[in-house]
Amino acid sequence: MAPVVARLVSQSKPYLVPGKLLVRELWFEVPLDHDNPEDTTKLKLFARSAIKYERLIVEPSPSEVEQRPYLVYLQGGPGMGTSAPQDSPLSKYMLDRGYSLLMLDQRGTGLSSTISANTLETIGSPQEQADYLKYFRADTLVKDSEAVRLCLTKDYPPEKKKWSTFGQSFGGMMTLTYLSFAPEGLRECFITGGLAALDKGPAEVYQATYKRCIERNHAYYKKFPEDVATVKWVAEKIIDLGGEKGVLLPTGGFLTVRRLMTVGLNFGAHGGVDRVHSYITRMKADLDQFGKFTRCTLNELEQDNVWDTMPIYTLLHEPCWCYGPGVAGKWAAERVGQSLEEYQWLQTDWAGPASLGEKPLYFSGEMIYPFHFETCSELIKLKEVADILAKYDKWAPLYDIQQLGRNEVPVYAAAYNDMYVDPDLARVTASRIKGIKVFETNVLFHNALRSNPDDVIPQLLKLRDDTID
């Protein structure tokens, strides 16, 4: 079957933003199911394009406007929308090289047929909602991307029809899917923090990432040794104040000890250790002065991550590690964590913080648990949907390892001291992609593209522009 070509619904008049960027807003339409030509369900995709603006002495006529090759940004997550071009570090480095940058919101994210509890309600029953969400993994996102590429480049000469991709985190995983099943659309690929395991299911992945998370906990308590006692004391107070259900949060969720432990997700990012310490300091200050938590503190904790605002991140997190048929999540993060001494708090019969003695409470990392759907106000409404997806094991393949082994598309990747994408597994993945060039460092963390772009993007461009030997 011929690939679907997206329909361009509308595009805005270009507008200029500071930094001499000429931005255009575009809306596309694609089918929910690319493999079913009879499908009448359509989704809207939103994107912003940007080029470097130069005020010429004589403005070119429409027929003389240059067709610049596209670089499309594949966002991390899953479930997160893209930033405006002027807020992306890619604009600084890539536009001067002649690319047209495309910031495409993946389906269900940003402005693209956004997924939330109330938009899913319109789909139908929990089973119908889960069936709908099965079309929001990387395999379908790649088909969307190809559909948009074919639409945007239909009048381009053959040498400009392919585009370049830049995938961060989950966007890197999506790149591996793209290279597996639609390499004909790719000129070159950049990947940062996204060399995920190709044939490891969620449980195997979490066995590796829990190890990295424990290491980051050690770094936290080494830097803030007084927090060994403080964190446990705060945890006891949460139990005293909130009981079994937890302390009510401003938008209707609940702060429990388990939910507090999830702020350890920050440990995988630059500044994350200090951010968690700031939370603990604020909580202790509230308790010392008022005997309870202030709204400001509770609001900060509730907004710490994207649990409520980007539900795809939780609903499809374990499924994004389900690499093919026969693999199901089955709440792997909880199952693996319950087997580890450091994560006794995941066990149903845990005796509480006092039972740890001198041992610290260990924070979790990038793990999704059933209790998210009991303590996060938006996710409470999606608990049944989450359970259905956790049991599902008929996922389409995400990767073609044989195709990656004969890959001809240039790939340039950055691999970090990464708590989210295990470096050892990343090396194995790199070894299975023909022709890939990798910049590896142990002094940068997963969010380095945003926090330290000057240490990342130039290194990737060196891999692209220079020779190794």
Side-chain angles (χ1 to χ4, degrees):
M1 188 174 69
V4 171
V5 179
R7 182 172 76 88
L8 181 60
V9 177
S10 66
Q11 56 181 321
S12 70
K13 180 181 178 181
Y15 56 90
L16 193 62
V17 299
K20 296 192 294 184
L21 303 186
L22 194 63
V23 177
R24 189 191 300 269
E25 297 166 1
L26 307 104
W27 287 93
F28 303 93
E29 184 181 83
V30 294
L32 174 68
D33 182 359
H34 284 258
D35 298 326
N36 180 8
E38 309 271 324
D39 185 18
T40 59
T41 306
K42 305 297 182 184
L43 301 180
K44 294 286 183 65
L45 303 181
F46 175 75
R48 296 182 183 94
S49 67
I51 60 173
K52 197 72 173 181
Y53 175 72
E54 296 179 7
R55 187 174 181 181
L56 303 177
I57 298 171
V58 178
E59 292 291 335
S61 67
S63 62
E64 296 175 316
V65 173
E66 181 184 4
Q67 294 173 321
R68 307 186 190 196
Y70 277 100
L71 170 70
V72 62
Y73 180 62
L74 307 179
Q75 176 64 285
M80 300 176 185
T82 60
S83 60
Q86 61 267 31
D87 298 325
S88 169
L90 297 182
S91 295
K92 173 182 176 181
Y93 286 97
M94 303 311 240
L95 296 187
D96 284 337
R97 288 174 165 258
Y99 293 102
S100 178
L101 178 62
L102 187 71
M103 306 295 285
L104 175 64
D105 284 348
Q106 299 156 8
R107 60 168 62 191
T109 77
L111 301 184
S112 294
S113 301
T114 314
I115 292 294
S116 65
N118 63 348
T119 61
L120 283 174
E121 279 180 2
T122 65
I123 302 301
S125 68
Q127 182 63 60
E128 289 171 316
Q129 293 176 41
D131 290 341
Y132 180 75
L133 286 165
K134 292 169 188 175
Y135 292 102
F136 286 73
R137 291 201 318 152
D139 52 319
T140 309
L141 302 183
V142 165
K143 293 172 184 175
D144 283 348
S145 299
E146 269 297 275
V148 169
R149 181 187 69 83
L150 292 170
C151 173
L152 289 175
T153 63
K154 65 180 185 299
D155 298 324
Y156 278 35
E159 67 273 13
K160 290 186 178 180
K161 284 186 177 293
K162 294 183 178 183
W163 66 9
S164 305
T165 66
F166 199 112
Q168 157 65 14
S169 188
F170 171 75
M173 299 168 68
M174 185 177 160
T175 303
L176 302 179
T177 305
Y178 215 144
L179 288 165
S180 294
F181 300 115
E184 66 278 3
L186 301 172
R187 174 179 290 106
E188 61 191 346
C189 298
F190 301 90
I191 298 173
T192 53
L195 291 176
L198 301 173
D199 54 4
K200 305 291 184 190
E204 294 171 288
V205 169
Y206 286 130
Q207 286 168 3
T209 54
Y210 265 116
K211 177 183 175 183
R212 302 291 175 184
C213 186
I214 289 169
E215 291 173 355
R216 295 299 292 151
N217 272 271
H218 292 164
Y220 173 78
Y221 285 119
K222 181 178 180 180
K223 183 171 184 176
F224 301 110
E226 67 279 9
D227 280 4
V228 172
T230 303
V231 170
K232 289 185 288 187
W233 180 74
V234 167
E236 292 280 13
K237 292 297 183 181
I238 290 173
I239 296 171
D240 291 344
L241 292 169
E244 186 175 331
K245 194 165 187 179
V247 176
L248 183 65
L249 291 167
T251 67
F254 298 94
L255 176 63
T256 62
V257 174
R258 287 181 167 188
R259 180 157 180 184
L260 175 63
M261 294 297 95
T262 66
V263 300
L265 179 58
N266 290 286
F267 286 167
H270 287 277
V273 163
D274 294 329
R275 185 174 184 178
V276 172
H277 175 66
S278 178
Y279 287 150
I280 298 303
T281 300
R282 174 181 283 276
M283 296 176 82
K284 183 177 185 300
D286 282 357
L287 292 167
D288 283 342
Q289 297 174 76
F290 312 111
K292 59 184 179 181
F293 302 116
T294 62
R295 182 186 175 104
C296 181
T297 296
L298 294 175
N299 183 68
E300 280 201 21
L301 289 166
E302 190 165 34
Q303 302 303 317
D304 175 67
N305 280 304
V306 298
W307 316 126
D308 286 318
T309 55
M310 300 177 190
I312 283 180
Y313 182 79
T314 44
L315 289 165
L316 293 179
H317 198 89
E318 288 196 2
C320 81
W321 296 107
C322 296
Y323 57 86
V327 183
K330 298 179 181 177
W331 300 115
E334 182 179 65
R335 289 186 287 112
V336 173
Q338 287 174 338
S339 70
L340 301 173
E341 181 183 356
E342 291 86 354
Y343 291 91
Q344 298 175 33
W345 54 264
L346 284 170
Q347 298 171 8
T348 55
D349 59 351
W350 183 50
S355 67
L356 296 174
E358 299 299 315
K359 296 178 182 178
L361 253 177
Y362 281 77
F363 293 89
S364 59
E366 193 172 41
M367 292 91 183
I368 304 301
Y369 304 104
F371 68 75
H372 279 103
F373 297 87
E374 299 167 354
T375 60
C376 300
S377 59
E378 180 83 350
L379 299 182
I380 289 170
K381 309 165 192 173
L382 298 170
K383 179 176 174 58
E384 191 173 347
V385 179
D387 282 330
I388 293 169
L389 291 169
K391 296 170 185 174
Y392 186 72
D393 66 353
K394 295 180 175 60
W395 300 108
L398 289 178
Y399 312 113
D400 183 333
I401 295 175
Q402 289 186 331
Q403 174 60 37
L404 293 172
R406 55 177 180 265
N407 171 63
E408 296 297 332
V409 179
V411 182
Y412 314 104
Y416 309 128
N417 179 13
D418 205 324
M419 192 180 82
Y420 309 146
V421 180
D422 180 71
D424 293 336
L425 296 180
R427 292 185 196 101
V428 173
T429 295
S431 72
R432 303 169 93 169
I433 303 171
K434 181 182 175 183
I436 190 173
K437 295 181 180 179
V438 182
F439 161 65
E440 183 173 350
T441 176
N442 65 354
V443 297
L444 294 174
F445 295 124
H446 187 80
N447 68 330
L449 179 63
R450 294 189 300 273
S451 65
N452 301 66
D454 294 342
D455 295 327
V456 177
I457 300 177
Q459 293 291 342
L460 293 177
L461 293 175
K462 285 180 182 178
L463 294 179
R464 179 191 186 276
D465 299 339
D466 205 352
T467 182
I468 292 177
D469 188 9

